[in-house]
Amino acid sequence: MKNNLYIILAAMALIMGTPSCTDYLDEDNKAGATADLAYSTVSGIQGLVSSCYSFSRAWYGKEAGLGLSEMGTDLFYYGYDNKQKSLNSYNISSVSLDGNESDNACLDQYWEAFYCAVDVCNTALKYVPLNTLIGEKVQNQYMGEAYFMRAFYYLHMVNIWGAIPYNSEPPTTIVTDPTRVPEEVVYGNILSDLDKSIAAFQTANYMIKTDGRANYWASRALKARTLLYAASWLGKNSITSNSDYSGKDLYALAKAEAEAVIGSGVASFYDNYADTWSMNNEDVTKNKEAIWGVTYSSDISTNVNCIPYRYRTEASGKQMSYNGLITRTGYTRGGSAMLLMFVSMWNNGATDLGGNGKETFVRVLGATTSTITNIKTGAVVDVAATYSPYGRGFTRYLPSVYLWKLLDKYRATDQRTNATLLEAYTIAPGLEKSSKLYPNIQDTAIYYCPLDGNSTAGKAKQAWAKGRYRIQFLNNGDIPVFTSSDPATALPTEAAKAKSDVYGDARYNSYKISGWCSYPGIKKFLDNVYNSTYPTNDISYRDAIVMRLAEMYLIKAEAELGTGNSSNALATLNELRAKRAITGKDNSLSGTVDINTILDERAIELCGEQQRWFDLKRTKTLVSRVKAYNAQGAANIKDIHYYRPIPQAQLDAVTNLSTIVGTGFWQNAGY
Amino acid sequence: MMKMKQSFLVKVCLLSLLVILTGAQLFAQKVTGVVVDDSNTPLPGVTVVVKGTTNGTITDAEGRFSIVPGDPKNDILSFSFVGLETKEIKINGEKVINVQLKSSILEVEEVVAIGYGVVKKRDLTGSVSSVKSDDVSKATSSNAMQAMQARVPGLDIQQSDGQAGAALKMTLRGHRSLTDEANNPLILVDGVEYGSTLDINPSDIESMDILKDVSSTAIYGTRGANGVILITTKHGKAGKTKVSFSAYLSSNSPTNVPQVMYGDKEVQRLTDKANYQADAVTGNYGTSNLTTEQVLTESLADFTEIGIYQDKSYTNWLDLILQNGLTQNYEVSVAGGNDKTTFNFSLGKMYDEGLMKDDKMDRYNVKVNLDSKISNIFKVGTNMLFTYKNHDARNSSVFGQAMKMTTISHAYTAEGVLIPNPNPRYAAHCNPLLDEVDGAYKNNAESTRFFGNAYMEITPMKNLTFKTMFALDRSNIRTGIYQDYQSVARFQSPTTSYISSEYENKTGYTWDNTLNYTTKFGSTKHELTGLLGQSMKQDLYEENITQGEAGKEHYYTSLFYDLSKITTETSTSKYVKSSMMSYFGRLNYKYDEKYLLTASLRSDGSSVLAKGHKWGYFPSTAIAWRASEESFLKSTSWLNNLKARASWGISGNAIVDPYSTLTTLSNSSVYYYLGATNISGNIPSVMGNTDLTWEKTASLDFGFDFGILNNRISGSVDYYISHTSDLLYRKSAPASSVYPSVLANIGKTKGHGLEVALNTLVAKTKNFSWDVNWTYSTSTDEITELSDGVTRNISGTTGQIVGEPVLIYYDYESDGCWGVGEYATYKADWATRHPGGTIAYASAYGAPGTIKIVDRNDDGNLTDDDKKVYNRSPKHIFGMNNSFTYKDFSLSVLLYARLGGYIAYDMNTQLNYESANWGDLDYWTPTNLNAKFPSPGAASTTFASYGSALKYEKADFFKIKDITLAYNLPKNLLSRASIERLKVYGSLKNFFTFSGIDNYDPERGGSISFPLSKQVVVGVNIEF
């Protein structure tokens, strides 16, 4: 019995003894880091500051960012395989489509991405001053960068959605009743951030653009843009909440900033406008014209170019991915998608030129697909260098009739027409006459002609082209790109001819030869240098130039117009145009400058560079210009579209939802 | 009163006997004999004692004994042996006494495993279903859990794909938690958490007990809210050593494979498409009349489309990619022991082939169960399972690729060379057979798992037992992936080879200490059993992944084994630890065999929850009344058993990832390119919730068990109501506050349901019997509250809406396709209905032959408000298991039906507009206006925006899951070969499925890759 007693006692001791290890239920996350610890190190704080930039890759160089910043404007129509058709045709709604990649404006995901981006900037602004290891100079430089990036993201947000919740610090609790801060206040905050950035950069004496970071001149350039946006959208004396700007003429300030940047020598013009877009000059730190841009590493085979994961998680806690329109290739490899956006279906839609196993065009995938056999001579022709720059026919966007005609107008005197429009596809040298249906084919394979195919000149062109190459006219003719030459009503054609009028055969009986699949492209963003390592061209390491010198002239001109000095504006525009003239040709403008002159010039200079929608918005010409120049959007566009809808996911999650504009958390009117 | 008197009398008798015996020691006389078992085999090790004395002996190897009793006339010899009935024989002066001991198993009442113990089924107060070894051993799946399908009311088991070693989806009593994994029942093997893929030989399983109501599960506290499945493995029995062998072969062939358009049908689609597009130009639909020659213009070097059309040399890609698989399974076990020590050793090998080449699994199991009684006080034992698995999986996109591939193409050239991109319409569409080139694709997981425990039981005094058990669960998994640059995953992009190697270590330990006490008092009318316990559990997970591109090279032989081939390497690691500590107690009280009461309380502390919220308390109570024991019913001859039960309790759920309460940085690096360097950074990603606590479910269960007509009809009925609160979910927060999802306790759900289990012996004659087991369940669940007054939380086509079921789809409703001119009429009508209103459908909406979406609120705009709720949960689940025996033959037929609920059937969006094949779907043409699916010629715009509305199909199905015919060879034939039992059988599994969806088994839940198989099984069971 005594033994038994001992056993019981031992058992009781076991039971009672276990909880004495009081830390048994405590957690210690060994493979994850906490902010306080990570950001007190040199590499940790450096990584945090560089991460402030990473989110900009979600917008610049990406399909959905391009769609929201450049499309649904006067410059572009959507093509056959566009993934944001309802955005472009203004059937846009607040519905959060999340991962949908077939037709998604992606506003819900950008709403998220921008708030995360701002949060990383806020985290940097909190931890940089606390880091004692980096020294005061670097501290100032980092603060300058973080303020710049926060201003940069908020500028996008306020332009997209108008009044928005404004976070100035990392959150400590979840705010379910957010306040929409008026646009004027947001602008005031952005200007204040830029001023702090400029001051910090000045203290750090950080005025260079050698490494892709924001710097003193980048901040001043962005300030010029911000002032112009505020002046044109809110009014020239609109800022009241920021005392530094209250009552001041924002146009005058914008002009001063632009002039300072122009005069600084931080950027200069190439003699040849096309050099700005050469893949050899893609690096923003080396590109002479660039002031600041979003960088992509030339390593496009790993994840170093990928954007961050979402803060939103799956039910399992796994961080979610932004959708493919934003990441382009997910999270294993990243890069810019711009090279894909403006390319017509050149290789898939060219059965008239080859086909039946006797191709003239192929997409270069690798060694096995980089040669074509000439059907006449039997010679094996290496085509990679010629075809690789055309990339892949994503058929997302095509230039509007307005843009095509505008560029065509100055063809003879201005470099920018030829450097911008991709009006002809050439076949690889060695494939001459290697086309059954065009027995006299030489180098030109497809030519998009900005003429009316039924005009006399058009008919003459058609007669010349017969048997030599495929010719597609702006309108009319055998296979028109557009249904009309009237910019207000023209739509890309969506089907081709069962029987060709010119040839009497069925060579054009394919939707792939219709206007929304086959059209003149935009050259600026093509990978024009063949790279045998990555011949597929599904992604590019081209940096996205966000601000460049020409824009400073355009800001200056518009600011001059805004301050009532139209003749100075003309002089400034002509200063820029002189740089873009074909040697020995005069491309200068004359007459009275108005906002349309500025917008035309911006179209010629900046088309495709992710600014147009904001330009039309802030100048309040969006509705009139879409009605006049974009028949795909004309039917639906109305004043509500000056703001994008707040995503439904946000509305579903707030507790202060209201239906009255200006109280609680309201949806933008009309959505 | 009567009983008390009786027991008093017995005691007096025994006492006097004792007195007599001690006095009778003088008359010494030897008694000998042989002890044999049921089959007349001599039994060694049988304890033979002169009753009431310490005078005893043990039988020798031949079962012989010899003993000298004190009083050869009146003494009683007691023969006892574990697992056999104890027999007492009065010597009566005999000198030779031969004894046959009968197996006690049959006589013992059925017991049911409950948490930390067993109870007699008749004493059960909760709702527990059991599947016994005979049914478990019928499973011919790599996962023995399959055996429970259609046999347990309230348990919904689904298999969604037919890959080798595929996992199962299980829910018990509907959904109450908002996340899928949170609804998984807790599965314990021999008392230790195991996981849902059961790598155990079916013949090693003694029973599966499914604890359903909360009074049964509350003893598992925070892990019990979704039900508990207790799996008990077989232990040895004292007596003759038994050797059993079972083996089966199963031929697996694809069944209910979703069909794509083949040959002429696809040609017709392309023709219809071209005609539509030509019509669209003219606006006169139905007028264009293109010839096949005009449509089939594409070609590759090796063929032309028109040539294939003319000689009908189409390619059936699904046939090329699918094969018949063969599964082989062998199990051997040796069990036996004596009254002190028993053992059960087993060895199993399974080779499972899926329906595609290189989709296969090899599995070896070694199992040892040992129990040994060291003395009357100490007992020790162990259960050990070692599993080795080698599993090759296919890339899941290959099947999809084969479905998309046009059939108007050739896989190989005339010379038999694989054509890498056989689709003449889209060069980037690669050949799905690329992965079948030797070495081009490998996804191999090799894993070992040791799952074992050792226990010690101490019985210091009568009725009191202390048990301590320590369990260790350790597994190592190595997953290697190699994708050649010319494999399906890499061919189009990025055209480089890829290597990944992942090592995982999982270590779990559990330490349970329990104290059990049983007592009877008040002359045994009152019976009380108490349990006190304490448990500690810790899980540790470590992971290392090395991966990266390996350039444009073939590494067909080194595959993923040579990591030095990776050119750009990234490695990631994980370390996750979670701990739990628990205290629990339970009281079972029985009065007069009629009234039963159970009460339990558990307290759980978990490391994953927030400080100050770590501990939770989970009480339960249950009562039962065995009405049939009442005197007023005892005489009712047709009623054999009637028991009414009621229970209430609270159980919990803490499906929370470790570290959810800590604010941490993302462990995936963020990069940016500055100064010609890719700088890596870590940014915040998780906002810790410092209020996180248990999800709690309170349930009520009412049930009764009955047996009538000599138990020919028996069964049980249960009705339950449950309320879940503090639901753990990623709460949707406004993205403007940075973290759009924060794990929180956000809302409430409720559910109720009815379960019926019925056993009917339809016929029983000497040679023939027919027995039917019926199961039926129905359940309903609903979200009653989300946090902060939010009424819905939708992400894509799924999410939560207050007042709707837990699992839903939320999407538009399609209504066929727009006819020619119909949209114009619709718009005009709408304008009449809404003077001054503007219609705002998407620009391309309304074209002839495109999807028509129901504008449910008729506001001229398609928004979230037009979406409809599709309930995903089944309403009724029905199972019927028929067993027929005729002499030595037996036949069983298992029927299964699952009714109600919707699935999102992926095949309905297998509309690859331009360049690829379509599902075999009824599409719109100018002469087929009522088709559900849009014209292949119409622009894909509307489909892209609203196509998911086409997906939803009613999931009802009925299937004959299993038909098994078995033949038991006659005993007299076998005994000559000293075989105890030999059974041969053949089965047809999953052969007949009836549903509203052609060529599809809705059990799969909507997914289309990796079809399920039907099996022809032949097998044999032998016992020596």
Side-chain angles (χ1 to χ4, degrees), chain A residues 4 18-19 24-25 27 33 39 54 80 89 91 102-103 167 211 295 297 301 311 313 316 356-357 392 495 538 650, chain B residues 281 297 299 460 492-493 537 549 583 614 657 659 665 671-673 675 682 730 735-736 741 841-843 914 944-945:
Chain A
N4 296 346
T18 44
Y24 185 73
L25 297 181
E27 286 196 304
Y39 301 146
S54 301
Y80 162 75
S89 56
N91 292 116
S102 50
D103 187 359
N167 300 334
D211 60 2
T295 64
S297 160
S301 68
Y311 283 20
T313 55
S316 67
N356 292 342
R392 292 168 61 172
D538 65 344
Q650 167 84 13
Chain B
V281 177
T297 55
S299 62
Q492 181 181 357
S493 115
K537 185 174 170 341
E549 307 225 344
Y583 300 93
K614 286 185 193 288
D657 279 333
Y659 316 128
L665 305 184
Y671 296 90
Y672 195 70
Y673 187 69
N682 287 87
R730 300 272 156 191
S736 63
S741 46
Y841 300 120
S843 56
E914 295 315 333
S945 306

Side-chain angles (χ1 to χ4, degrees), chain A residues 422-451:
Chain A
L422 177 69
E423 286 178 302
Y425 286 91
T426 62
I427 56 166
L431 288 180
E432 293 84 2
K433 306 207 169 181
S434 179
S435 171
K436 208 172 129 197
L437 295 181
Y438 302 92
N440 299 321
I441 199 164
Q442 285 297 317
D443 57 346
T444 303
I446 307 168
Y447 171 49
Y448 301 97
C449 178
L451 290 173

Side-chain angles (χ1 to χ4, degrees), chain A residues 111-419:
Chain A
W111 177 266
E112 248 182 79
F114 281 126
Y115 277 104
C116 293
V118 163
D119 181 60
V120 174
C121 297
N122 283 334
T123 307
L125 292 170
K126 176 180 170 186
Y127 283 99
V128 168
L130 300 177
N131 188 302
T132 53
L133 303 174
I134 48 176
E136 208 175 319
K137 186 174 183 297
V138 175
Q139 248 174 2
N140 272 309
Q141 178 204 320
Y142 283 178
M143 290 301 278
E145 293 178 64
Y147 277 124
F148 172 88
M149 287 311 297
R150 186 166 79 174
F152 179 73
Y153 293 125
Y154 273 126
L155 182 61
H156 288 78
M157 292 158 77
V158 75
N159 272 286
I160 297 168
W161 291 289
I164 42 167
Y166 188 92
N167 300 334
S168 56
E169 281 168 16
T172 50
T173 54
I174 295 298
V175 180
T176 56
D177 57 344
T179 309
R180 293 188 64 179
V181 174
E183 289 175 76
E184 179 273 318
V185 178
V186 178
Y187 267 104
N189 291 346
I190 294 169
L191 288 168
S192 156
D193 274 358
L194 288 172
D195 285 334
K196 285 180 199 156
S197 170
I198 291 164
F201 280 133
Q202 194 155 30
T203 312
N205 194 25
Y206 197 76
M207 301 197 167
I208 45 162
K209 63 156 195 168
T210 51
D211 60 2
R213 292 174 186 274
N215 56 66
Y216 179 81
W217 291 113
S219 288
R220 294 200 63 178
L222 187 60
K223 189 178 168 191
R225 187 191 279 186
T226 306
L227 287 163
L228 182 75
Y229 276 29
S232 53
W233 174 242
L234 296 174
K236 63 198 283 185
N237 298 311
S238 56
I239 304 288
T240 53
S241 60
N242 183 333
S243 56
D244 293 344
Y245 295 88
S246 119
K248 296 207 173 139
D249 181 347
L250 303 176
Y251 278 122
L253 295 175
K255 175 172 171 285
E257 289 300 306
E259 279 173 340
V261 177
I262 292 167
S264 71
V266 71
S268 60
F269 287 110
Y270 287 104
D271 292 338
N272 186 354
Y273 174 72
D275 286 348
T276 312
W277 303 106
S278 165
M279 209 42 199
N280 293 324
N281 299 326
E282 60 81 29
D283 182 348
V284 284
T285 65
K286 302 211 172 75
N287 189 298
K288 281 163 68 177
E289 263 208 65
I291 295 166
W292 183 77
V294 173
T295 64
Y296 285 101
S297 160
S298 59
D299 176 3
I300 54 173
S301 68
T302 70
N303 64 345
V304 294
N305 282 322
C306 292
I307 64 168
Y309 281 94
R310 292 163 74 179
Y311 283 20
R312 189 182 288 274
T313 55
E314 288 168 12
S316 67
K318 189 172 167 255
Q319 280 184 280
M320 287 172 77
S321 308
Y322 291 101
N323 73 34
L325 301 181
I326 297 175
T327 60
R328 171 60 198 130
T329 45
Y331 285 86
T332 52
R333 305 176 310 128
S336 165
M338 290 293 280
L339 76 172
L340 307 164
M341 299 291 104
F342 301 96
V343 182
S344 81
M345 209 182 268
W346 62 277
N347 67 328
N348 276 315
T351 44
D352 59 324
L353 294 152
N356 292 342
K358 300 172 179 62
E359 314 298 330
T360 48
F361 281 129
V362 292
R363 196 177 118 212
V364 183
L365 285 166
T368 54
T369 51
S370 65
T371 56
I372 290 179
T373 306
N374 184 315
I375 59 165
K376 272 271 179 332
T377 64
V380 177
V381 177
D382 197 323
V383 300
T386 315
Y387 295 158
S388 169
Y390 295 148
R392 292 168 61 172
F394 265 43
T395 60
R396 300 295 202 262
Y397 295 108
L398 68 159
S400 65
V401 169
Y402 160 70
L403 179 60
W404 195 0
K405 284 186 163 179
L406 185 66
L407 287 165
D408 184 51
K409 189 171 163 189
Y410 301 107
R411 181 184 300 276
T413 58
D414 199 299
Q415 298 177 29
R416 290 173 294 188
T417 306
N418 191 38

Side-chain angles (χ1 to χ4, degrees), chain B residues 480-593:
Chain B
I481 297 173
Y482 173 72
Q483 293 170 347
D484 195 74
Y485 73 93
Q486 284 186 325
S487 67
V488 171
R490 311 288 288 183
F491 187 85
Q492 181 181 357
S493 115
T495 67
T496 50
S497 297
Y498 171 82
I499 291 172
S500 151
S501 173
E502 176 177 349
Y503 282 82
E504 291 165 85
N505 286 336
K506 292 182 201 168
T507 315
Y509 77 74
T510 306
W511 188 19
D512 286 348
N513 295 296
T514 50
L515 202 59
N516 244 302
Y517 182 70
T518 310
T519 185
K520 291 185 182 184
F521 55 90
S523 69
T524 73
K525 267 203 166 183
H526 302 269
E527 188 178 323
L528 193 67
T529 308
L531 167 80
L532 262 181
Q534 174 268 340
S535 170
M536 285 169 87
K537 185 174 170 341
Q538 190 161 76
D539 290 294
L540 181 64
Y541 176 78
E542 281 180 72
E543 171 194 284
N544 270 312
I545 306 175
T546 306
Q547 59 181 2
E549 307 225 344
K552 202 171 293 227
E553 298 274 354
H554 295 300
Y555 293 114
Y556 287 159
T557 50
S558 66
L559 301 171
F560 52 82
Y561 294 102
D562 185 356
L563 299 183
S564 70
K565 296 289 188 287
I566 301 179
T567 51
T568 47
E569 185 182 299
T570 43
S571 31
T572 50
S573 59
K574 248 188 204 170
Y575 174 95
V576 183
K577 190 162 102 172
S578 62
S579 317
M580 206 162 130
M581 177 130 51
S582 318
Y583 300 93
F584 48 88
R586 181 175 53 210
L587 215 60
N588 292 317
Y589 170 70
K590 181 162 74 172
Y591 175 71
D592 202 15
E593 297 290 327

Side-chain angles (χ1 to χ4, degrees), chain B residues 150-164:
Chain B
R151 295 186 204 273
V152 178
L155 182 66
D156 185 16
I157 295 186
Q158 280 177 278
Q159 183 167 7
S160 64
D161 77 58
Q163 285 185 88

